[in-house]
Amino acid sequence: MLKLTPTAIYELVITVILACWFLATILCQFKETRVSWFIRYKIDLFNLIPLWTFFAPHPGKRDYHLLFRDKISDDSYTEWHEMDITEERTFWSWLWNPEKRDKKILSDVVQSLVSSIPSYREKTGNLNLLMFSTPYIIVLHAVSHYKRRTENCHRQFMLAESAGYQKETTPSLILLSVFHQI
Amino acid sequence: MILFNNISQIVLIILSVGLLISTLEYLKKVQIFSPNGLLSWNVMQLKWTKENQKPLLKPFFKLFSVPGLAILFLIRCLLITGLLFFPLQSTVGWVLISLLGLSLLLASLVTHYGSDGSDQMSMLIIITLILCNMPALASSKLRDIGLWFIALQACLSYAVAGIAKLVSAEWRSGTAIKDVFSTKTYGSKKATLFLQKYPAANLFLCWNVIIMETIFPLCLFLPWPFALIFLVWGFIFHFFTAVIMGLNSFFWAFMATYPAIYFVNHQISWHLF
């Protein structure tokens, strides 16, 4: 018979935890289910349940670009200024690649914005409520802290995508914001 | 003293190299957490909007500032270095890895955007090692269970990635790798030119990745010389994704799981063959 020593109890508890963790990971590989939504957004505060579908089913084929401009008067604007995010890697990137973080953050934020656009359109008929979403605020916050021409500045940002080294594909617009007072 | 015949310890040492590089990379880019950075806490805290969560968030304003996070990352570097001198199963070693796990959990609150599969694999391994090596309570059987968990998660990750690619028309037609390599984010000019020159390589590479990832879990059951083929393939695969795609942290996080796969393979083989 199993003796209930502290070691045996601890072993049982940890085994159950690991088994549940593994089961939850399997369940969360299917993106759209109610169970996976509940686990991911209600239980998994620390992002401990991974999604292992790297670069599939739809691999990222685009580079994202974040640009902004300021309003000078009612009908004149500054040139578009691109935030320095997509830069080419160095020889040592296989070992030391701090630049990947900026790219991944912007890529995650843009993907989150793009994927939420259809649901905002469906629920409200327009995209105004998108301005209250966290990814939109992150982008606005990032562009609003770049140097301004005047104290009372109105700034607009644009998210665009390009096909990197495939020059034959022209860049395209993802989202053009309204002018925000910053 | 560190013993290299302890599989959990080898897992930790390989992972520590990757974690040290990753932490130093965060230190270099610590300005992304500044008030005007992409991961400013002023914005990231909006994820927790409920009234009862706000008092809990208050202490984090100081921690998630640039100086706060710089100190956290420096402490993390010291903890990782300390783990080279104290075995995982010693009390000091366990305290060090627990503090390391805590620092990773805390930072995950602000790095929701920008973290990737390698961060999740690292976190998964660290938490498993903490739980399965607690002094006085953890048995050798529990340490084995921890290694099983790490090996199964690694195999699940490859299999899921392979199946997700198998159901994708872009991967099956052999265009996916060319398209990814042609981006500045994850590609390279040389790789793009190479794949334009040799189009057959696209199809070969796509199907090579699909097949090997999908059947990767076989490495747990096959006799060791055959299982080793999968691990050598994995090594080459992660090395090239680091070189071509800049995914350096994936290399260390996934290599850290291989000693666990070796362990499970030898346990299963012992029963089967």
Side-chain angles (χ1 to χ4, degrees):
Chain A
M1 207 185 118
L2 184 72
K3 235 181 155 184
L4 279 181
T5 59
T7 308
I9 295 170
Y10 183 73
E11 195 178 288
L12 186 69
V13 170
I14 299 301
T15 307
V16 170
I17 290 173
L18 294 181
C20 292
W21 194 354
F22 188 64
L23 185 68
T25 311
I26 294 174
L27 291 173
C28 286
Q29 301 311 305
F30 309 98
K31 270 185 187 173
E32 303 297 331
T33 64
R34 230 180 241 182
V35 179
S36 65
W37 184 89
F38 181 77
I39 295 172
R40 218 168 262 293
Y41 298 104
K42 295 285 172 191
I43 300 176
D44 187 18
L45 276 180
F46 294 101
N47 210 12
L48 294 176
I49 308 287
L51 180 65
W52 296 129
T53 56
F54 307 117
F55 294 94
H58 306 295
K61 301 187 287 190
R62 295 280 188 265
D63 286 318
Y64 295 116
H65 305 272
L66 177 55
L67 303 97
F68 64 85
R69 66 176 179 175
D70 293 341
K71 189 186 257 186
I72 299 168
S73 65
D74 277 348
D75 53 358
S76 68
Y77 313 99
T78 60
E79 290 290 308
W80 284 104
H81 176 86
E82 183 171 359
M83 279 179 66
D84 216 6
I85 283 157
T86 314
E87 59 182 72
E88 287 191 47
R89 286 193 303 278
T90 64
F91 173 78
W92 290 102
S93 297
W94 62 276
L95 182 67
W96 172 253
N97 188 15
E99 307 303 328
K100 68 173 183 266
R101 295 289 171 191
D102 305 48
K103 294 181 198 172
K104 182 73 170 54
I105 295 163
L106 191 70
S107 166
D108 286 353
V109 167
V110 172
Q111 273 172 17
S112 183
L113 257 182
V114 171
S115 63
S116 61
I117 286 173
S119 77
Y120 275 96
R121 209 169 258 150
E122 201 178 289
K123 279 179 198 159
T124 62
N126 63 53
L127 290 177
N128 287 345
L129 282 179
L130 191 67
M131 285 190 267
F132 298 100
S133 70
T134 309
Y136 188 98
I137 294 169
I138 290 175
V139 174
L140 178 61
H141 184 261
V143 297
S144 66
H145 281 85
Y146 261 64
K147 61 176 181 235
R148 312 165 191 185
R149 290 165 53 88
T150 56
E151 265 300 299
N152 188 14
C153 176
H154 286 79
R155 187 162 283 177
Q156 180 183 38
F157 71 83
M158 169 166 69
L159 282 170
E161 60 180 7
S162 69
Y165 300 112
Q166 289 184 355
K167 298 276 190 265
E168 64 270 22
T169 316
T170 49
S172 56
L173 175 74
I174 300 174
L175 183 77
L176 185 65
S177 80
V178 295
F179 277 95
H180 293 274
Q181 187 176 359
I182 55 170
Chain B
M1 201 186 127
I2 300 282
L3 293 172
F4 285 89
N5 57 0
N6 180 329
I7 304 268
S8 301
Q9 190 71 50
I10 299 172
V11 169
L12 179 61
I13 288 170
I14 299 172
L15 186 69
S16 297
V17 178
L19 277 178
L20 186 64
I21 294 171
S22 172
T23 307
L24 290 170
E25 285 177 345
Y26 264 126
L27 257 178
K28 168 101 195 303
K29 300 297 287 185
V30 76
Q31 286 302 326
I32 57 175
F33 301 101
S34 69
N36 57 348
L38 277 169
L39 294 183
S40 159
W41 182 240
N42 293 338
V43 177
M44 296 312 290
Q45 58 161 314
L46 295 175
K47 198 182 159 196
W48 291 275
T49 48
K50 286 181 191 153
E51 273 304 313
N52 60 353
Q53 290 172 331
K54 283 183 180 162
L56 295 172
L57 297 174
K58 234 178 177 177
F60 295 127
F61 277 92
K62 273 195 178 148
L63 177 66
F64 294 146
S65 61
V66 170
L69 281 165
I71 292 169
L72 185 79
F73 294 141
L74 278 172
I75 292 172
R76 197 189 286 174
C77 289
L78 292 175
L79 292 171
I80 295 167
T81 314
L83 282 167
L84 292 174
F85 299 98
F86 295 96
L88 182 57
Q89 273 108 39
S90 69
T91 307
V92 179
W94 187 81
V95 170
L96 290 177
I97 194 176
S98 300
L99 291 171
L100 176 62
L102 184 68
S103 86
L104 288 169
L105 281 178
L106 279 175
S108 75
L109 293 175
V110 77
T111 56
H112 173 68
Y113 290 103
S115 65
D116 57 28
S118 70
D119 296 311
Q120 285 179 309
M121 182 57 94
S122 303
M123 186 97 94
L124 187 146
I125 295 172
I126 290 287
I127 292 174
T128 308
L129 292 178
I130 294 169
L131 295 176
C132 297
N133 289 277
M134 189 189 234
L137 281 178
S139 59
S140 65
K141 193 173 153 201
L142 188 59
R143 282 180 209 120
D144 293 355
I145 291 169
L147 290 172
W148 268 81
F149 177 71
I150 292 169
L152 287 175
Q153 280 282 4
C155 288
L156 179 69
S157 73
Y158 286 110
V160 168
I163 294 165
K165 289 177 178 81
L166 190 62
V167 297
S168 158
E170 290 157 87
W171 277 92
R172 287 197 311 272
S173 64
T175 59
I177 288 186
K178 172 180 70 83
D179 289 340
V180 174
F181 281 6
S182 67
T183 65
K184 286 180 183 168
T185 312
Y186 288 118
S188 91
K189 210 177 222 169
K190 279 181 187 163
T192 309
L193 289 173
F194 176 82
L195 291 177
Q196 276 171 354
K197 202 172 169 187
Y198 304 103
N202 291 311
L203 201 62
F204 169 76
L205 288 173
C206 281
W207 275 99
N208 178 281
V209 173
I210 292 172
I211 293 169
M212 289 305 281
E213 282 191 337
T214 308
I215 62 172
F216 194 89
L218 285 178
C219 69
L220 295 178
F221 311 101
L222 291 172
W224 178 242
F226 296 102
L228 193 59
I229 294 170
F230 288 91
L231 301 195
V232 171
W233 174 85
F235 178 88
I236 296 168
F237 170 74
H238 287 293
F239 178 73
F240 277 102
T241 53
V243 171
I244 298 170
M245 303 174 76
L247 297 173
N248 56 339
S249 46
F250 276 84
F251 177 83
W252 299 103
F254 280 82
M255 284 310 107
T257 66
Y258 285 15
I261 292 173
Y262 165 86
F263 171 81
V264 173
N265 173 279
H266 278 65
Q267 274 213 334
I268 293 179
S269 309
W270 191 81
H271 289 290
L272 284 180
F273 308 108

